[in-house]
RNA sequence: GCUGAAGUGGUGGAAUUGGUAGACACGUUGGACUUAAAAUCCAAUGUCCAUUAGGACGUACGGGUUCAAGUCCCGUCUUCAGUACCA
């Protein structure tokens, strides 16, 4: 009976859908387990084989947990707001909602055919108003919160107002803007409502402020720091410039310490934790205040090395520092202004790319050293960043390489304050193994004590204190785009007002075009019905705006990460009960947080940080019970495509010829270049090119066939005017792959080109030129396969649809796991899938040994014998489903139980690739053993079912079960079946294994040694030498030294 | 530059605490079956030397610890990822 995977898979996918097999319940006696994938953005291109990798892994885990008796929540949904749909809308005029809906349909079809055990009844879409209603609601909670550093949590803004009313703001320890003026309770109570609102905005966890943002002109929007890669936009690679704009920001910096501390409580990889740690960038040190000579102004700096305070020989301010214009002397004014202008022109990218150039200007002003009272020259330099710390540094050349280089370049003093350290060549930046010298009261102390004492003395002077700084910046939250969540915000006299939660959602308005307006306003500026009426509490037409009851609405939308920062809570609630809550208290209490989260590491500083931030806020405000969203996180690696390249001839003029003829060297280079350009048209099948990986001459070619073809090519080539005086024998020939992407659809499994499909391909570059493909003796042209990122532009995208059609979903699932460790990057090569596909056929066969054996065993479970034809060994034989009640043999049991052990360990270690090998070994062994015993073959199916659920269901039902296999108990491992009575000992000589010897397990150490030493092979090995030492490790190894 | 991960056959990759390196597959070669192809089955397959028996070498490179190192330690190189003057 043949393995009809297409029929079987369709059958069970329908069964699961119809019976809601994977619907999770919010009430259960079983322990809960929540397995989540990072939900996809439904792009127009659909899925390629790389996308399901993480979904397959999480699905295996979810299915395994069900077998283990857990109530599993394994949902899926769509991150359906985003830039590509909007860019497409701009180009085609189609509403993003329409294209998004179409894309989701494709995604759903593709996901369904892979057989995931998702509970689709709980699906979420971030662009659905019923969903983004709650994103807007959370935004309001952020607006109505402030961060109390004393209680170390966010509180409702009312508690802050209460404090202001009774005590003013001087005793408040809050995360807030830097430019806060102190006021008393009395002053607060006398402020106008508008003044109060302005002040509160500086404390809210989301606030409107003029900030320097990353503006991307090409996309017409601002970008967050994590959306910029190497100075260009992550999407599209467009340049980014700095620009001041009024924007909503998220005060994530308030949570810096908790975000850092929380990492210790979660099970993520160290790599990922390190990325977040670096991004948060905590540094502990001190803030020091320097008086400026001749001015009332002071300069605050942050330093991590207060112990080196006596090593300061100058100060550097960022060119943008506010004091620069104030303190610059008349003589230096011109130079300073010129420098500021020059640095302002340099883009952020230039500044980044060019780290080595030292530049700066003296301001002419001096600061006063807090202890020695010596004058310290104040410089400006663009190595100091305005956005970090206070935008000013105290420069200590002996302890910091940048300060050292700067001082050396401008010939500033470099005093040495380290005992016995040579700083003539470079700074000594280490904090360890050094004592402070030439530093008054700090002399002889090491870093820790000196720092502490320096801070204490600074505090006595009122010129400093201990301080901790974080690199983490507040996150810009406004986007000048259409396809995102609208803010629930309207403006009264330019002051933002929240719309009452009762009136949410505020739906995205219709616009004619998705581009910014002519005035440079965001696309929502084009909406005609986009004003808020405070009487009817509804969105009304713009022309009704009267600024008394009807006000303009916010024109920005929220960024992509808004909707994804809380979606994992939405899944917890049944769709039917989602109306009045983002998730009910009971649901949140039952499911808590995600037990296992699988997704790509590219979200390390975006989604994964912002979600943690929002969860902490929701917890502080009492809406959820957990501090962290994702208990355990695994990053799946990327599956790379394998591009197919032809081998191309590389021609060079033989060096000997170069010198024998009198060429000018330039001319010769041109000639070589030209020869290569011309030869790019000549392709060689890979198997023919082997001789040419080193440069050889024409006459050295071994095959006559090749020599003839290449001679022909060279004749054509040398026909050009420029080559007239060169002969074929002056050239050397080499072969290399050339980056000419042969579309992967036109490449067969043996890497040969299918010229029929290639000629029908729409690729212009393959038709434009006169290419010559030299095929091998079999008439095939073999390409070189090179791993590269899968992308449309590289023509190397493999679609799972075709894989499922040709080999089935179970094969796809197994193969994706078989490729290698989950976390690793690995190339996809469709040819390899035959290995796992054959395995499934063998598995099928193992359960269909019916007819042959049926003759002597009457107890067979035969199903549909009429269709059980199989063609085997040249004959058509009847093969029925053949599993019986035969007593399992010792070998059967051993195979089964070592498989149980290994597979269980593998799944728990997320080592799915090794499980697949284990299954192969088990099936090979059981086939060898001709096992037909139900006691073995039934538990085996449960082991395999998380990986290949369709075939497992089918065979399980054939065993007579009417229920799905999905909740069958995972087989229990019995160690007793694996106990061996003897061991095949490897016998080593000086650590090298020479032969093996089977000995009883219970043989004593002495007896083993005696037996081994008496063995003829040992005697032969020793050739009469007496061994110095014999190492016997019972149950492991014997090693004879000497 | 700094931080992190990784380097094993022609390819993807195994080797759990130091104990038989290359499991399991792909590919390749040869064979069986077939009119033929496909499918299936069998055998060989790290490199080198040797007719065989067998031997030498082998986990990026150079050292070290150990009876024994892919695994532990020191140094070097390469690749990938993150970060980029963070005071």
């Amino acid at each position: 009976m043949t393995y009809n995977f297409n029929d079987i898979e369709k059958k069970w996918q329908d069964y699961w859908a119809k019976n809601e097999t994977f619907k999770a319940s919010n009430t259960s006696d079983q322990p809960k387990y929540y397995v989540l994938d990072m939900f996809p953005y439904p792009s127009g291109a659909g899925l390629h084989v790389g996308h399901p990798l993480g979904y397959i892994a999480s699905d295996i885990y979810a299915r395994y947990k069900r077998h283990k008796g857990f109530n599993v929540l394994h949902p899926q949904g769509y991150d359906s707001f985003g830039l590509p749909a909007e860019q497409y809308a701009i180009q085609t005029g189609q509403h993003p909602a329409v294209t998004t809906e179409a894309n989701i349909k494709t995604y759903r079809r593709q996901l369904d055919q892979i057989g995931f055990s998702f509970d689709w009844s709980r699906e979420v879409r971030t662009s659905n108003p019923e969903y983004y209603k709650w994103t807007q609601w959370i935004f309001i909670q952020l607006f109505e919160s402030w961060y109390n550093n004393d209680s170390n949590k966010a509180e409702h803004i009312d508690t802050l107002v209460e404090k202001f009313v009774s005590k003013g703001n001087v005793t408040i320890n809050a995360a807030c803007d830097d430019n806060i003026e102190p006021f008393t309770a009395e002053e607060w109570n006398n402020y106008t409502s508008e003044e109060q609102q302005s002040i509160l905005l500086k404390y809210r966890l989301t606030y409107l402020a003029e900030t320097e943002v990353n503006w991307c002109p090409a996309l017409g929007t601002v970008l967050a720091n994590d959306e910029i890669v190497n100075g260009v936009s992550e999407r599209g690679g467009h340049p980014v410039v700095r620009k001041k704009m009024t924007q909503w920001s998220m005060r994530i910096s308030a949570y810096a310490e908790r975000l850092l501390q929380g990492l210790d409580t979660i099970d993520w990889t160290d790599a990922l934790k390190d990325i977040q740690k670096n991004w948060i960038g905590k540094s502990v040190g001190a803030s020091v205040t320097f008086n400026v000579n001749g001015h009332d102004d002071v300069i605050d700096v942050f330093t991590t090395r207060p112990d080196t305070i006596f090593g300061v020989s100058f100060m550097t301010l960022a060119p943008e520092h506010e004091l620069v214009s104030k303190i610059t002397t008349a003589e230096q004014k011109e130079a300073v202004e010129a420098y500021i202008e020059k640095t302002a022109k340099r883009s952020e990218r230039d500044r980044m790319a060019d780290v080595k150039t030292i530049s700066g200007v003296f301001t002419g002003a001096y600061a006063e050293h807090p202890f020695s009272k010596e004058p310290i020259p104040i410089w400006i330099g663009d190595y100091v960043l305005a956005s970090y710390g206070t935008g000013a540094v105290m420069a200590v050349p002996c302890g910091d390489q940048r300060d050292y280089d700067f001082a050396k370049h401008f010939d500033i003093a470099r005093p040495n304050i380290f005992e016995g350290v040579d700083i003539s060549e470079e700074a000594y930046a280490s904090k360890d193994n050094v004592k402070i010298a030439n530093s008054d009261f700090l002399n002889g102390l090491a870093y820790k004590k000196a720092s502490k004492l320096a801070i204490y003395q600074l505090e006595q002077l009122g010129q400093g204190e201990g301080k901790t700084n974080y690199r983490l910046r507040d996150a810009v939250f406004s986007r000048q785009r259409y396809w995102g969540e609208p803010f629930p915000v309207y403006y009264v006299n330019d002051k933002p007002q929240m719309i009452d939660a009762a009136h949410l959602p505020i739906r995205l308005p219709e616009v004619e075009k998705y581009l910014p307006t002519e005035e440079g306003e965001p696309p929502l500026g084009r909406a005609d019905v986009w004003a808020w009426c405070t009487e009817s509490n509804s969105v009304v037409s713009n022309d009704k705006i009267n600024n008394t009851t009807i006000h303009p609405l916010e024109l920005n939308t929220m960024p992509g990460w808004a909707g994804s920062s809380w979606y994992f809570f939405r899944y917890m609630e049944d769709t039917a009960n989602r109306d009045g809550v983002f998730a009910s208290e009971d649901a949140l209490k039952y499911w808590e947080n995600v037990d296992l989260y699988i997704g790509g590491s590219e979200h390390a500083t975006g989604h994964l940080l912002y979600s943690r931030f929002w969860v902490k806020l929701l917890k502080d405000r009492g809406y959820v019970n957990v501090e962290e969203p994702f208990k355990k996180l695994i990053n799946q690696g990327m599956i790379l495509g394998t591009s197919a390249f032809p081998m191309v001839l590389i021609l060079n003029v033989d060096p000997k010829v170069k010198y024998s003829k009198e060429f000018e060297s330039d001319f010769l280079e041109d000639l070589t270049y030209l020869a290569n350009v011309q030869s790019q048209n000549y392709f060689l099948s890979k198997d023919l090119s082997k001789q040419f990986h080193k440069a050889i001459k024409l006459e050295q070619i071994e095959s006559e066939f090749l020599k003839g073809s290449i001679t022909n090519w060279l004749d054509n080539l040398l026909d050009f005017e420029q080559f007239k005086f060169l002969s074929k024998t002056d050239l050397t020939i080499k072969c290399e792959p050339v980056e000419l992407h042969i579309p992967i659809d036109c490449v067969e499994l043996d890497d040969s080109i299918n010229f029929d499909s290639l000629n029908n391909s729409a690729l212009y570059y393959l038709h434009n030129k006169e290419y010559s493909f030299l095929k091998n003796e079999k008439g095939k042209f073999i390409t070189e396969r090179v791993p590269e990122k899968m992308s449309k532009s590289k023509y190397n995208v493999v679609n799972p649809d075709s894989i499922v059609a040709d080999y089935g979903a179970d094969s796809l699932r197994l193969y994706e796991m078989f490729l290698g460790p989950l976390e690793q990057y690995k190339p996809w090569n469709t040819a390899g899938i035959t290995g796992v596909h054959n395995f499934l056929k063998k598995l099928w066969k193992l359960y269909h040994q019916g007819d042959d054996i049926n003759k002597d065993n009457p107890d067979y479970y035969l199903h549909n014998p009429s269709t059980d034809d199989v063609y085997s060994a040249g004959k058509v034989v009847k093969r029925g489903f053949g599993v019986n009640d035969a007593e399992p043999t010792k070998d059967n049991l051993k195979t089964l139980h070592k498989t149980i052990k290994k597979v269980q360990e593998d799944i728990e270690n997320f080592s799915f690739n090794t499980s697949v090998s284990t299954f192969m070994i088990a099936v090979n062994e059981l086939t060898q053993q001709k096992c037909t015993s139900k006691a073995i073959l039934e538990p085996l199916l449960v082991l395999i079912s998380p990986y290949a659920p369709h075939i497992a269901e089918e065979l399980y039902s054939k065993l007579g079960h009417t229920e799905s296999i999905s909740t069958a108990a995972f087989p229990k491992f019995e160690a007793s079946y694996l106990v061996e009575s003897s061991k095949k000992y490897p016998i080593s000589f000086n650590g090298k294994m020479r032969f093996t010897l089977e000995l009883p397990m219970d043989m004593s150490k002495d007896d083993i040694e005696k037996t081994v030493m008496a063995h003829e092979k040992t005697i032969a090995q020793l050739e009469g030498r007496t061994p110095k030492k014999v190492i016997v490790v019972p149950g492991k190894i014997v090693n004879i030294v000497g």
Side-chain angles (χ1 to χ4, degrees), chain A residues 834-860:
Chain A
T834 51
V836 292
H837 189 65
N838 278 341
F839 157 72
L840 287 176
K841 285 197 215 162
K842 280 189 213 165
L843 176 74
W844 185 258
K845 225 187 217 172
L846 178 63
Y847 290 74
H848 291 85
Q849 310 174 65
D851 199 58
D852 293 353
I853 317 158
N854 197 24
K855 287 165 197 152
D856 353 276
N857 296 288
D859 296 331
Y860 273 68

Side-chain angles (χ1 to χ4, degrees), chain A residues 585-697:
Chain A
E585 247 177 79
D586 286 346
L588 289 164
K589 203 170 165 189
Y590 181 72
W591 293 109
E592 294 176 326
N593 49 12
V594 177
D595 292 285
L596 173 67
Y597 196 33
I598 296 188
S601 58
E602 65 271 22
H603 300 106
T605 52
H607 165 59
L608 289 174
L609 198 61
Y610 296 130
S611 313
R612 296 182 60 219
F613 161 43
W614 278 29
V615 168
K616 288 178 198 303
L617 170 95
L618 290 173
K619 184 185 183 223
D620 287 353
R621 293 293 312 279
Y623 297 115
V624 303
N625 315 301
V626 292
E627 176 80 15
E628 291 286 343
F630 316 118
K631 267 189 224 160
K632 180 173 177 71
L633 183 131
I634 291 190
N635 291 124
Q636 91 268 19
M638 199 186 288
I639 290 189
L640 304 170
T642 38
S643 298
F645 296 140
M647 302 296 282
V648 72
L649 287 184
I650 305 283
L651 301 179
N652 262 305
V653 179
D654 189 309
K656 279 181 211 137
V657 180
K658 276 188 192 176
Y659 298 110
S660 65
K661 298 192 181 173
E662 287 179 13
F663 295 133
E664 287 184 24
S665 63
D666 285 359
F667 179 71
L668 205 69
E669 266 171 41
D670 292 351
L671 204 67
T672 308
Y673 175 73
L674 245 159
N676 278 327
V677 169
Q678 292 301 328
S679 68
Q680 298 275 314
N681 297 355
Y682 296 112
F683 301 140
L684 211 55
S685 181
K686 187 189 166 190
D687 47 339
L688 299 176
S689 70
K690 278 178 189 147
Q691 215 195 330
F692 306 105
H693 59 268
K694 270 191 277 177
I696 61 169
K697 301 193 78 171

Side-chain angles (χ1 to χ4, degrees), chain A residues 905-919:
Chain A
E905 283 168 1
D906 283 347
I907 295 180
E908 277 165 14
N909 293 321
F910 302 93
S911 171
F912 302 113
N913 54 326
T914 47
S915 291
V916 181
S917 316
T918 306
F919 293 139

Side-chain angles (χ1 to χ4, degrees), chain A residues 408-423:
Chain A
K408 197 171 174 185
H409 190 259
F410 291 108
D411 206 18
I412 305 169
R414 283 169 276 154
N416 189 355
I417 50 140
F418 297 124
E419 204 175 290
V421 169
D422 175 26
I423 59 147

Side-chain angles (χ1 to χ4, degrees), chain A residues 70 95 146 279 328 652 789 815 834:
Chain A
F70 286 82
H95 198 287
W146 68 291
W279 192 260
T328 302
N652 262 305
K789 203 172 165 176
Y815 188 51
T834 51

